[in-house]
Amino acid sequence: MQYQDINSKTIDNWCRSGWEWGQPISHETYEKALQGDWRLLLTPTKPVPKSWFGDIGGKEILGLASGGGQQMPILSALGAHCTMLDYSEEQCRREQMVADREDYSIQILQADMTKPLPFPDNSFDLIFHPVSNCYVEQVEPIFAECFRVLKPGGALLAGLDIGINYIVDEEEEKVVYSLPFNPLKNSEYYDLCIKNDWGIQFSHTLEEQIGGQLKAGLRLTDLYEDTSGQGRLHEMNIPAFIATRAVKG
């Protein structure tokens, strides 16, 4: 089984077990968004600045690896035309459940973002891409595809794990693992991922992630740092994530 399929099945099981990022928003949260009261997360705790979105009404928005019924319902309530792509069947099912409950239209595709995206060039005004590329080995091709499917002037909003989570022990007290954390090239890391039901995860550097966006042709306009929201690193206010806004110039 390819690692992408392992991750898809793993996330399906996490969702069924109550995983935080697989729990759809409530009807009340959707109603608040209709009234203009909303927030969205790319990383664990800090809301995305609303200025990053601009005028949402009427925009074509792609939720990339953004299933679960958390972000696309909010953007749909704000008047966007949303498409959601995720490789987890359960995340897609929950996305459709919210759309059916709230009676709005959304295009949902269960697909692997490590493959070419199934959209024409210049399709989207905005791509919303929460933390997820820690589940893929190579991130640069994803940024290249994002550039391709964005319209000129369109923006990629991305949540990115910067690798600190992969160097520490479970108590987050000691540095015990070297980087890169790549289970496909290190059998110890592979066994660790399987044993702990992590799926197959990968660390990525800023060079890969910010450099990869720039190499794809995107222009970085803003970023912010965030913590994990729990654990010792969070308690010590050590950032483990960044969110970036980049534009197709």
Side-chain angles (χ1 to χ4, degrees), residues 112-170:
D112 180 359
M113 69 177 175
T114 68
K115 306 295 191 295
L117 298 177
F119 310 111
D121 297 355
N122 307 320
S123 293
F124 299 101
D125 299 291
L126 186 142
I127 298 175
F128 193 86
H129 180 43
V131 174
S132 55
N133 66 15
C134 51
Y135 301 106
V136 303
E137 185 180 19
Q138 300 293 333
V139 296
E140 292 94 338
I142 296 173
F143 296 134
E145 278 294 282
C146 287
F147 181 86
R148 181 184 67 79
V149 303
L150 277 172
K151 298 177 183 178
L156 167 65
L157 312 187
L160 309 168
D161 186 307
I162 61 174
I164 289 177
N165 289 311
Y166 294 98
I167 67 174
V168 294
D169 61 7
E170 288 190 29

Side-chain angles (χ1 to χ4, degrees), residues 203-245:
S203 68
H204 295 294
T205 63
L206 292 178
E207 183 176 349
E208 291 175 88
Q209 301 195 100
I210 293 181
Q213 293 184 53
L214 299 176
K215 188 185 299 183
L218 294 161
R219 176 173 57 88
L220 189 68
T221 64
D222 205 356
L223 61 82
Y224 61 86
E225 297 175 313
D226 198 5
T227 69
S228 300
Q230 59 185 351
R232 188 164 184 264
L233 294 178
H234 168 71
E235 292 166 0
M236 297 180 71
N237 199 35
I238 296 175
F241 299 88
I242 59 171
T244 59
R245 182 182 187 272

